[in-house]
Amino acid sequence: MRTNHHVPVTGLRGIADTFWQPDSACYGMDPEDSEAVFFPTRRDHEAIAEAKELCGMCPVARECLTFALENDLTEGVWGGLTEDERAPWHKGLPDRLDYGRIVAFFNGRDVHLTEAERDIVVDHAYARGWRPARLATALSIGTKHARDLLRKAEIKIVDRDLTLGVPPNPYKKKAKRKRKRRPTAAVSAAPDSGQPVTHTLKSISSHAPLGKAA
């Protein structure tokens, strides 16, 4: 729900950001009217019905509901649901598994993941070949912790593939290039100079065959 035109950034982490609010049906409502309609008492059925009617016409009612759940807003009507109707959603929030939030995470959104969602993210990060440092930055955790999570994901995925009969996909080893041996140098004294002269075996072999000079 959006009741004014300028709302400061809260700093709260989550997919339930405020990008949707300018499209809401209640955008720009007078604060007093909004308070009366969307924060009625439990017995004010007329106000509740009016709020639900507005929410029913709202194109971003789902985002509004997500915002309330994500930020633990237990009072008022959000996304067409009263506080009593949202109570089960709030209780089950820690165990929520929403693949839309997982997709949002990989699209760069700063999503506050549940434990179940984080497990899926780690599995996909391993499958995508993420390094521990990248996962650590994305999840705001230590590099050692990220490395441990990726190792657990690797064990889980390998065990699953073995159970399903999926052949392993070993990493391809890069072929090592054979180093060319440099010609061995032979040192001899330069005539009439007293300084050593370096000859390669190739240059030596081009001279007369070894033996006594004629």
Side-chain angles (χ1 to χ4, degrees):
M1 181 177 61
R2 175 72 175 259
T3 57
N4 58 351
H5 296 269
H6 303 287
V7 176
V9 178
T10 63
L12 294 173
R13 299 179 65 244
I15 192 174
D17 53 30
T18 58
F19 78 96
W20 52 272
Q21 291 183 343
D23 298 325
S24 62
C26 59
Y27 183 78
M29 280 185 66
D30 181 81
E32 293 184 1
D33 293 340
S34 175
E35 185 77 18
V37 173
F38 292 101
F39 292 89
T41 62
R42 283 182 168 85
R43 295 184 178 182
D44 192 349
H45 302 293
E46 183 177 349
I48 294 174
E50 183 179 354
K52 289 192 172 188
E53 184 178 358
L54 284 173
C55 292
M57 299 184 296
C58 184
V60 290
R62 180 176 180 179
E63 287 79 0
C64 178
L65 175 60
T66 301
F67 182 86
L69 295 173
E70 183 71 23
N71 296 297
D72 199 26
L73 303 178
T74 57
E75 298 180 356
V77 177
W78 294 83
L81 298 182
T82 65
E83 51 197 84
D84 292 333
E85 292 168 337
R86 291 196 314 275
W89 293 71
H90 282 286
K91 292 178 181 178
L93 187 62
D95 301 321
R96 181 172 58 172
L97 178 56
D98 186 344
Y99 282 92
R101 290 161 50 80
I102 294 172
V103 171
F105 173 87
F106 282 109
N107 286 336
R109 297 279 290 281
D110 189 16
V111 182
H112 184 69
L113 301 167
T114 65
E115 185 174 352
E117 290 166 344
R118 192 192 68 168
D119 289 343
I120 300 297
V121 163
V122 173
D123 290 348
H124 280 274
Y126 166 76
R128 295 180 182 204
W130 280 25
R131 306 293 296 173
R134 183 177 181 182
L135 182 63
T137 301
L139 293 179
S140 299
I141 59 177
T143 303
K144 184 178 182 301
H145 187 193
R147 185 180 296 110
D148 292 340
L149 290 176
L150 289 173
R151 285 175 178 171
K152 290 180 181 178
E154 179 182 11
I155 293 172
K156 178 171 62 176
I157 292 173
V158 170
D159 288 346
R160 181 200 63 189
D161 290 347
L162 290 175
T163 302
L164 297 176
V166 179
N169 184 20
Y171 294 102
K172 294 182 180 179
K173 296 182 179 180
K174 294 182 179 180
K176 294 183 178 180
R177 293 182 179 179
K178 294 183 179 180
R179 294 183 178 179
K180 295 182 179 180
R181 292 184 179 181
R182 294 181 179 179
T184 306
V187 179
S188 62
D192 302 328
S193 66
Q195 298 296 328
V197 175
T198 301
H199 301 279
T200 64
L201 291 180
K202 184 177 181 181
S203 64
I204 293 175
S205 62
S206 63
H207 292 284
L210 299 176
K212 292 184 180 180

